[in-house]
């Protein structure tokens, strides 16, 4: 049975037309590694200016429990530890590594050999049985793995649960409901066995006996690929869910799979579940099976660009956005991520980070001017959190922070369903974001 969540949701055009194949994007000769690429405290450098580092070497460590380390995506010399411009235009402290031509050639050859070796792949289904939960969690911590679905929460934290709070179910999010993006679809289609093995490792690490991989019904190829690699020795199943935005939202997905709604202010663990992304499962398999830390990820390049340029690339973390090949339209709006929850790229010299899932290039047609609210209730009907977006937006516009807090603005997941559904083109989400930020106690 195809499942979904009960409240709200919209159906934007999927525009999933990037090539599902994954192409290796050439390594950069200079990599820019922001120290804060995750939820939690920034990583702390353990290298100095002028020091030589090798590809995969630890260059910054987590300083608190909720943090994540950082590894060199290329071999080279540390040219500096200084602020660099991020995609949103704001500065962030980063480690800058520059490679010589010889180092670049050697890294490129080793990387190509690595991906050739795992593509046909030898499947080792004994990994999760042969390693203890502590060893798996330590490897995940040491590899600097964070959630690759967008939230970038350190993966070792999610998988470290107290005995009294042991989850009943591990949900693996393969929905990829954001329009245009196809990085998860490409991974599921190309490396299904590796993802399933990663799920087995995550089950062992978290002490969970059952896992469900949830995939929207517009990805039949990925569904078939994953089903063909399920091991009967593990309680892992594939659950097809309805193609509806934001099906991949954590609270919406938990409800679709379990029928339980997560209370306001609570996490999935409160209803016996933990949620991780399929790309996170793949990264965990990589770190355990091959020892490679999180130094590259799949990134979709898509949008209003020539069809031949709509691709999925394996990209080294720290690669400048400008290295991604595309021909923009004359009036381009370049979005880091997808059009619903992504943000405009102010600076294309900014680096790809662990949380960068794609680059969506859209023709920036003139926007329709906002009009008066017609009291149609479309935004209320669309809201997956059961909120009243028109009211929260008004509170934000009028600086009524206490009223916004009382009306539940903290529960807004910033999915943009309200703005998308508004026939008057009102910037509902923009004002809600302001109210959400300013109403925090």
């Amino acid at each position: 049975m195809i499942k979904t969540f009960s409240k709200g949701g919209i159906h934007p055009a999927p525009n999933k037309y990037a090539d599902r194949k994954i192409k290796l994007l050439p390594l950069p000769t200079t990599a820019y590694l922001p120290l804060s690429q995750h939820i939690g405290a920034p990583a702390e450098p353990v290298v100095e200016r002028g020091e030589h580092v090798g590809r995969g070497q630890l260059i910054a460590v987590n300083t608190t429990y909720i943090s994540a380390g950082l590894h060199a995506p290329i071999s080279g010399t540390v040219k500096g530890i200084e602020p660099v411009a991020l995609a949103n235009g704001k500065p962030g402290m980063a480690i800058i590594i520059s490679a010589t031509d010889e180092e670049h050639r050697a890294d490129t050859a080793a990387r190509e050999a690595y991906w050739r070796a795992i593509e046909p792949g030898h499947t080792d289904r004994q990994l999760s049985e042969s390693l203890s939960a502590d060893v798996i969690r330590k490897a995940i911590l040491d590899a600097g793995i964070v959630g690759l679905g967008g939230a970038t929460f350190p993966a070792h934290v999610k998988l470290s649960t107290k005995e009294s709070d042991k989850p009943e179910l591990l949900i693996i999010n393969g929905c990829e409901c954001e329009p245009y993006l196809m990085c998860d679809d490409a991974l599921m289609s190309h490396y299904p066995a590796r993802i399933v093995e990663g799920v087995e490792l995550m089950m062992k690490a978290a002490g969970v006996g059952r896992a469900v991989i949830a995939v929207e019904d517009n990805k039949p190829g990925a569904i078939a690929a994953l089903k063909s690699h399920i091991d009967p020795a593990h309680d892992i199943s594939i659950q097809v869910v309805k193609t509806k935005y934001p099906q991949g939202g954590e609270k919406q997905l938990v409800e679709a799979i379990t029928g339980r709604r997560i209370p306001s202010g609570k996490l999935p663990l409160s209803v016996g579940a933990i949620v991780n992304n399929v790309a996170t499962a793949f990264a965990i398999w990589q770190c355990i099976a091959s020892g490679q830390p999180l130094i590259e990820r799949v990134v979709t390049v898509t949008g209003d660009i020539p069809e031949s340029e709509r691709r999925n690339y394996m990209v080294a973390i720290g690669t400048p956005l400008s290295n991604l090949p595309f021909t923009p339209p004359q009036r381009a709006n370049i979005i880091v991520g997808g059009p619903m929850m992504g943000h405009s790229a102010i600076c294309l010299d900014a680096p790809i980070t662990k949380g960068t899932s794609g680059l969506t290039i859209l023709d920036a047609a003139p926007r329709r001017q906002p009009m008066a609210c017609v009291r149609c209730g479309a935004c209320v009907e669309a809201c997956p959190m059961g909120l009243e977006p028109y009211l929260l937006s008004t509170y934000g516009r009028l600086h009524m922070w206490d009223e916004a807090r009382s009306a539940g603005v903290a529960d807004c997941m910033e999915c943009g369903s309200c703005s998308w559904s508004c026939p008057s083109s009102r910037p509902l989400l923009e004002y809600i974001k302001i109210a959400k930020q300013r109403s925090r106690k």
Side-chain angles (χ1 to χ4, degrees):
M1 181 179 69
I2 297 177
K3 297 184 176 183
T4 191
F5 53 96
S6 60
K7 289 185 178 181
I10 58 175
H11 296 87
N15 292 316
K16 306 274 189 179
Y17 43 47
D19 192 327
R20 281 180 177 79
K21 294 178 182 177
I22 300 174
K23 182 178 180 180
L24 293 182
L25 188 76
L27 293 171
T29 53
T30 300
Y32 303 85
L33 289 309
L35 297 175
S36 184
Q37 301 189 34
H38 52 269
I39 289 177
E44 183 174 296
V46 291
V47 294
E48 297 178 348
R49 180 182 174 88
E51 187 173 338
H52 184 270
V53 297
R55 176 172 158 85
Q57 179 180 328
L58 181 69
I59 57 174
V61 296
N62 55 315
T63 53
T64 64
Y65 182 55
I66 302 180
S67 184
L70 195 58
H71 300 76
I74 60 173
S75 301
T77 302
V78 177
K79 292 298 183 182
I81 303 174
E82 59 194 55
V84 301
L86 305 180
N88 60 9
K90 297 179 180 179
M93 289 297 295
I95 299 173
I96 304 171
I97 302 172
S98 186
T100 64
D101 290 343
E102 183 179 356
E103 289 168 332
H104 186 263
R105 286 192 296 269
D107 277 349
T108 298
R111 181 189 188 218
E112 290 174 350
Y114 169 83
W115 285 106
R116 281 196 302 270
I118 73 166
E119 188 161 336
H122 167 68
T123 300
D124 183 0
R125 305 314 291 263
Q126 305 304 312
L127 272 176
S128 60
E129 282 81 6
S130 62
L131 300 174
S132 70
D134 287 341
V135 168
I136 296 171
R137 288 194 298 267
K138 180 65 163 53
I140 294 169
L141 168 65
D142 291 345
I145 296 174
V146 301
L148 298 179
T152 64
F153 194 81
H156 67 277
V157 178
K158 266 195 178 182
L159 298 174
S160 302
T161 55
K162 298 177 182 177
E163 196 61 40
S164 57
D165 294 329
K166 282 294 180 188
E168 307 165 13
L169 177 66
L170 170 64
I171 299 175
I172 302 298
N173 188 349
C175 296
E176 198 166 42
C177 61
E178 179 82 31
Y180 288 94
L181 300 185
M182 292 183 63
C183 51
D184 289 347
D185 191 356
L187 267 181
M188 291 185 287
S189 299
H190 204 66
Y191 296 107
R194 306 311 190 194
I195 289 171
V196 173
E197 290 166 23
V199 175
E200 294 167 3
L201 290 161
M202 295 166 84
M203 293 171 69
K204 182 66 172 287
V208 179
R210 183 166 72 95
V212 173
I213 305 175
V215 188
E216 284 192 334
D217 59 3
N218 64 350
K219 302 174 182 65
I223 293 168
L226 289 167
K227 283 184 175 178
S228 68
H229 288 90
I230 296 296
D231 185 350
H234 297 88
D235 190 357
I236 301 175
S237 61
I238 309 298
Q239 175 62 60
V240 180
V241 292
K242 187 176 180 180
T243 299
K244 182 169 70 167
Y245 181 85
Q247 183 68 79
E250 199 170 61
K251 292 190 175 184
Q252 285 67 41
L253 187 56
V254 168
E255 184 197 355
I257 300 300
T258 68
R260 305 169 188 168
R261 288 188 64 85
I262 301 171
S264 175
K266 299 293 184 179
L267 298 173
L269 195 58
S270 67
V271 294
I274 52 176
V275 182
N276 276 279
N277 183 265
V278 289
T280 311
F282 180 74
I284 287 172
W285 172 81
Q286 277 188 288
C287 85
I288 300 292
S290 69
Q292 176 165 299
L294 183 55
I295 54 175
E296 51 190 341
R297 64 157 296 152
V298 181
V299 175
T300 303
V301 179
T302 185
D304 298 328
I305 56 177
E307 185 176 352
S308 61
E309 295 180 350
R310 300 169 192 156
R311 302 292 299 262
N312 286 286
Y313 293 96
M314 187 64 71
V315 184
I317 307 299
T319 300
L321 292 171
S322 57
N323 284 26
L324 294 168
F326 61 89
T327 305
Q330 188 172 4
R331 300 171 302 181
N333 179 19
I334 300 174
I335 302 168
V336 178
M340 298 301 294
M341 297 191 74
H343 59 87
S344 293
I346 306 300
C347 176
L348 287 181
D349 291 330
I352 295 288
T353 64
K354 295 178 181 182
T356 306
S357 55
L359 208 60
T360 306
I361 301 96
L362 300 179
D363 189 347
R367 292 184 62 178
R368 181 185 174 195
Q369 289 299 309
M371 297 184 295
C373 176
V374 296
R375 306 294 192 270
C376 66
C379 62
V380 177
E381 185 177 342
C383 180
M385 297 304 297
L387 301 173
E388 297 177 293
Y390 72 92
L391 182 61
L392 296 174
S393 176
T394 299
Y395 288 150
R397 181 168 55 85
L398 298 179
H399 298 187
M400 299 170 69
W401 317 131
D402 291 339
E403 289 81 356
R405 187 185 306 113
S406 299
V409 70
D411 288 332
C412 173
M413 59 186 291
E414 302 181 21
C415 67
S417 295
C418 54
S419 293
W420 184 89
S421 63
C422 179
S424 296
S425 302
R426 296 180 67 77
L428 300 175
L429 181 57
E430 283 83 348
Y431 283 121
I432 292 173
K433 284 182 177 179
I434 294 171
K436 186 177 177 181
Q437 182 181 31
R438 296 298 296 273
S439 65
R440 291 188 179 119
K441 292 182 179 179

